[in-house]
C-alpha cells in the first residue's frame, strides 16, 4: 500500500504539471513550489524553533486561525510557519502578518526531511483534513508533537476499512486529536487511538470574533440604502440560475451576490441572468461613479469581502449545494442571518443542526427557494436562533490551547 501511495503522489504531481500548461490554478501550484527551499532559507533561521501550522486551503486557514492567533498573542516571541497545499489558500494569505507562509512541498521522504529540517518545528498543528505519510513520520521520528484540530472522521474513510492498515499508521503519528463530534471519537477509538478530545469546531470562534467587529463597508451601506437584503455567498452557476428569479419577484429587496468564481466570463454571464438592474462592485467603487438608477442587484467581482458582507443582510443564501457541497454557513449565522442552501449538505453537521433549529432550509428548486425565502421574511425568530447557535458553540480554541500547553510547549 505504501508503494501505491508513492505512485499516487507521483501521478498526481505529473497530472498537475500537465494541467499547469493551460490551467492557471495548476500553474500556481507548480510555480509556487519552485525554489521553495531557497525561499525558506532566506526567511527562516533553522536554529530557532517554530510553530508549524498547515492548512489545505483558505477555509481550513480560517478554521485554524483562532488557535494560531491566540498562541501568537500568548507567546508573541514565538515564530510561526504556515503552509498551504492549495493555491486558493496560499495566494490570498501569503502576506499574512503573523507568520512566514509557504506552499507545502509534495509528500515525499526527501521533501519531508528537508522541509522539517528547514523550519525546525517544536510542534505541528494540522487543521481538519490532510494526512501526509512522510511528513507525519518525519515529525514522529523527531519526537515533535503533532496535533490535529477540528478533525472530523467518517466511517467511509480508508482509515476504517479492512484495507486501511497503511493509512492507520499515518494517524498513529498524531500526538492528540481534537475532533468535532462523538462519531469521530468513536471511529478513532475503534482503531486503537485513544488520545482524542471532543471539543467542537474552531470555526465557531472565528466567525463569532468576525461578527463582533466586522469591517464597515460604506459603499455597501449606500447600495442597500435601508432596504432588506439577501446576501448570497460563494455561489456557483447552478445557484445563480435559481436565484435570478428573485429580484423581479421581490422589488423592495436588495440582492448582493458574491460568486465563488470571479473570472470575466462568469461575471458577464451573471449580468445577463440578473437583468433587473444589476451592477458590479468594481463599477460601484470606481472613482466619481454616478449611477443613473438605483441598482437592485450587486455582483461582487472580487475576493475577500464576503465575511464582512453578511452584516448587511437579513437572509443569506450559501452556494455549493448543487455541487460537491455547501460553503460556509457559519459566517452568515454568526450575524444572525437564517440561511438557505442547496440539497448537498449531508457532510456538514452545522447545516443539519441549523435546519433542526429552524434557522436554515435546504432547497432543490426555484419553487422551494421562494417558499424558504418567504418563510424567513415572515419568521423573524429564525435570525435569533441562528445567532444563538453560533454563540453557544464557541470555545473550542481555549480548550485546544489549554491542552497543548500542558506539556510545557510552546
Amino acid at each position: 500500500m505504501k508503494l501505491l501511495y508513492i505512485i499516487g503522489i507521483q501521478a498526481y504531481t505529473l497530472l498537475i504539471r500537465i494541467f499547469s500548461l493551460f490551467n492557471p490554478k495548476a500553474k500556481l501550484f507548480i510555480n509556487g513550489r519552485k525554489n521553495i527551499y531557497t525561499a525558506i532559507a532566506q526567511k527562516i533561521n533553522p536554529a530557532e524553533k517554530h510553530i508549524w501550522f498547515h492548512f489545505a486551503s483558505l477555509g481550513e486557514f480560517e478554521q485554524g486561525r483562532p488557535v494560531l492567533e491566540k498562541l501568537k498573542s500568548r507567546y508573541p516571541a514565538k515564530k510561526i510557519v504556515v503552509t498551504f497545499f492549495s493555491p486558493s489558500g496560499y495566494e490570498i494569505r501569503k502576506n499574512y502578518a503573523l507568520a512566514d507562509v509557504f506552499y507545502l512541498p509534495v509528500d515525499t521522504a526527501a521533501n519531508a526531511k528537508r522541509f522539517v529540517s528547514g523550519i525546525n518545528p517544536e510542534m505541528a498543528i494540522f487543521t481538519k483534513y490532510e494526512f501526509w505519510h512522510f511528513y507525519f513520520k518525519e515529525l514522529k521520528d523527531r519526537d515533535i508533537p503533532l496535533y490535529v484540530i477540528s478533525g472530523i472522521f467518517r466511517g467511509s474513510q480508508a482509515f476504517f476499512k479492512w484495507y486501511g492498515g497503511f493509512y492507520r499508521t499515518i494517524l498513529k503519528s498524531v500526538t492528540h486529536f481534537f475532533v468535532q463530534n462523538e462519531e469521530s471519537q468513536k471511529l478513532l477509538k475503534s482503531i486503537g487511538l485513544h488520545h482524542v478530545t471532543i471539543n467542537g469546531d474552531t470555526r465557531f470562534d472565528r466567525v463569532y470574533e468576525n461578527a463582533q467587529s466586522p469591517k464597515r463597508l460604506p459603499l455597501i451601506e449606500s447600495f442597500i440604502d435601508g432596504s432588506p437584503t439577501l446576501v448570497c455567498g460563494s455561489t456557483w452557476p447552478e445557484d445563480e440560475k435559481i436565484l435570478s428569479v428573485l429580484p423581479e419577484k421581490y422589488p423592495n429587496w436588495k440582492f448582493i451576490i458574491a460568486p465563488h468564481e470571479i473570472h470575466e466570463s462568469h461575471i458577464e454571464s451573471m449580468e445577463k441572468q440578473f437583468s433587473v438592474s444589476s451592477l458590479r462592485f468594481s463599477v460601484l467603487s470606481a472613482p466619481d461613479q454616478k449611477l443613473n438608477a438605483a441598482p437592485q442587484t450587486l455582483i461582487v467581482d472580487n475576493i475577500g469581502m464576503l465575511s464582512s458582507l453578511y452584516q448587511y443582510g437579513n437572509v443569506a443564501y450559501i452556494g455549493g449545494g448543487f455541487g460537491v457541497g455547501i460553503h460556509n454557513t457559519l459566517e452568515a449565522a454568526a450575524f444572525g442571518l437564517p440561511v438557505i442552501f442547496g440539497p448537498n449538505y449531508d457532510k456538514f453537521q452545522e447545516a443539519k443542526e441549523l435546519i433542526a433549529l429552524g434557522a436554515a432550509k435546504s432547497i432543490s428548486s426555484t419553487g422551494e427557494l421562494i417558499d424558504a425565502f418567504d418563510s424567513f421574511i415572515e419568521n423573524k425568530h429564525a435570525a435569533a436562533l441562528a445567532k444563538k447557535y453560533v454563540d453557544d458553540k464557541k470555545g473550542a480554541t481555549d480548550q485546544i490551547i489549554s491542552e497543548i500547553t500542558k506539556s510545557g510547549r510552546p
Side-chain angles (χ1 to χ4, degrees), residues 289-357:
Q289 177 63 42
K290 293 182 179 180
L291 303 177
N292 296 325
Q296 189 184 2
T297 302
L298 185 67
I299 299 171
V300 180
D301 53 345
N302 64 48
I303 292 174
M305 286 178 60
L306 182 56
S307 62
S308 297
L309 288 173
Y310 289 121
Q311 67 183 297
Y312 299 108
N314 300 87
V315 181
Y317 179 94
I318 308 301
F322 288 92
V324 296
I326 58 174
H327 292 279
N328 193 339
T329 57
L330 296 180
E331 284 184 332
F335 283 103
L337 274 63
V339 293
I340 303 169
F341 42 77
N344 294 335
Y345 65 89
D346 286 348
K347 293 182 179 180
F348 301 87
Q349 184 66 29
E350 66 276 11
K352 297 176 184 178
E353 291 174 348
L354 284 166
I355 289 175
L357 286 171

Side-chain angles (χ1 to χ4, degrees), residues 63-84:
Q63 194 164 29
R65 186 174 180 174
V67 177
L68 188 160
E69 294 186 349
K70 183 149 285 191
L71 272 176
K72 185 64 176 177
S73 175
R74 185 172 293 188
Y75 306 100
K78 289 293 182 181
K79 305 285 187 180
I80 295 177
V81 168
V82 164
T83 55
F84 287 100

Side-chain angles (χ1 to χ4, degrees), residues 356-378:
L357 286 171
K361 291 184 182 295
S362 173
I363 56 96
S364 299
S365 65
T366 301
E368 290 181 3
L369 171 63
I370 292 171
D371 288 344
F373 192 44
D374 284 341
S375 72
F376 284 141
I377 291 174
E378 296 171 4

Side-chain angles (χ1 to χ4, degrees), residues 11 17 20 114 186 195 215-216 268 280 345 348 386:
R17 288 188 180 280
S20 71
R114 189 174 180 184
K186 286 181 177 178
H195 39 287
K215 180 182 178 181
R216 183 170 168 246
E268 288 179 355
R280 298 188 189 199
Y345 65 89
F348 301 87

Side-chain angles (χ1 to χ4, degrees), residues 89-104:
Y90 175 84
E91 294 301 326
I92 293 174
R93 295 301 179 194
K94 60 186 175 184
N95 296 316
Y96 181 54
L98 299 186
D100 291 304
V101 184
F102 305 98
Y103 277 103
L104 182 71

